[in-house]
Amino acid sequence: EIVMTQTPLSLPVTPGEPASISCRSSQSLLDSNDGNTYLDWYLQKPGQSPQLLIFTLSYRASDVPDRFSGSGSGTDFTLRISRVEADDVGVYYCMQRLEFPYTFGQGTNLELK
Amino acid sequence: EVQLLESGGDLVQPGGSLRLSCAASGFTFRNYAMTWVRQAPGKGLEWVSIITAGGDYTYYSDSVRGRLTISRDSSQNTLFLQMTSLRADDTAIYYCARVTIEGAFDSWGQGTLVTVSS
């Protein structure tokens, strides 16, 4: 199975400052058949169910602020938040769906300084 | 508004069985693939299983294959997860989620807790 590794696992951020989370996969997530990279990002806010932020590498889900962006290629990916707000606190997960079984990263806990 | 409501979670003994349900509303259920994701207490997310819109294809994680079975009843707008031969490491909150045409999980239920313990 494809192993997903996130860094850092804990990320303290000052409100208004930028933040970035890295995610690395054990093999390329590029689908050579269609050119898509099947990497998604989810946020689980405290006490809530996960919610979709970014799909297929860089597409923002509905109602996700443009402060959030996804990028990367091959096996290295980044989620960026341009200016962190209080509502961004929670655990961020990357997930690959290039092949079964789908696999998540361990999660990155973003907290405010 | 899309709504997914899981039910059926309970305390069950090792080796026991349980059936989880996920009642869907607010969208045309038969047009969407659906998936189950679980989260052990204090741990991260683990993908469990997925079923296509028509119910003709199913896929599982290695840890549950042969013991958990995903199914759906589009006449009832309901997704199921039949769980057998349950083990302590199946203890988790089980979430159902809708799968978009692009393949991402765009709507999630609130989860139902399964506890496997003697």
Side-chain angles (χ1 to χ4, degrees), chain B residues 6-18:
Chain B
E6 302 93 336
S7 61
D10 204 348
L11 171 63
V12 60
Q13 292 190 340
S17 299
L18 208 56

Side-chain angles (χ1 to χ4, degrees), chain A residues 27-39 56 74 77 97-99:
Chain A
Q27 63 189 72
S28 175
L29 300 185
L30 173 66
D31 187 330
S32 57
N33 294 317
D34 60 16
N36 288 324
T37 297
Y38 290 106
L39 186 282
T56 315
F77 312 99
R97 52 182 171 85
L98 175 69
E99 62 181 46

Side-chain angles (χ1 to χ4, degrees), chain A residues 46-68:
Chain A
Q48 296 187 19
S49 302
Q51 61 187 82
L52 177 65
L53 292 176
I54 303 287
F55 65 95
T56 315
L57 183 65
S58 61
Y59 295 91
R60 271 189 304 277
S62 298
D63 299 328
V64 173
D66 60 8
R67 301 183 290 104
F68 291 88

Side-chain angles (χ1 to χ4, degrees), chain B residues 22-35:
Chain B
C22 170
S25 61
F27 64 101
T28 306
F29 179 74
R30 65 178 181 270
N31 290 348
Y32 288 85
M34 298 292 294
T35 192

Side-chain angles (χ1 to χ4, degrees), chain A residues 1 38 40 42 44 48-52 55-56 93 95 97 100-106, chain B residues 37 39 43-47 50 59-62 95 102-106 108-111:
Chain A
E1 72 177 38
Y38 290 106
D40 304 328
Y42 295 87
Q44 187 172 31
Q48 296 187 19
S49 302
Q51 61 187 82
L52 177 65
F55 65 95
T56 315
Y93 296 92
M95 187 196 83
R97 52 182 171 85
F100 295 113
Y102 294 170
T103 44
F104 287 91
Q106 319 97 298
Chain B
V37 174
Q39 186 170 35
K43 302 298 184 181
L45 302 175
E46 180 188 10
W47 176 76
I50 194 168
Y59 301 90
Y60 300 91
S61 67
D62 294 344
Y95 297 100
E102 295 86 2
F105 309 160
D106 72 332
W108 297 62
Q110 86 294 340

Side-chain angles (χ1 to χ4, degrees), chain B residues 89-111:
Chain B
D89 62 359
D90 293 316
T91 295
I93 297 172
Y94 285 74
Y95 297 100
C96 65
R98 186 179 76 167
V99 183
T100 68
I101 191 68
E102 295 86 2
F105 309 160
D106 72 332
S107 296
W108 297 62
Q110 86 294 340

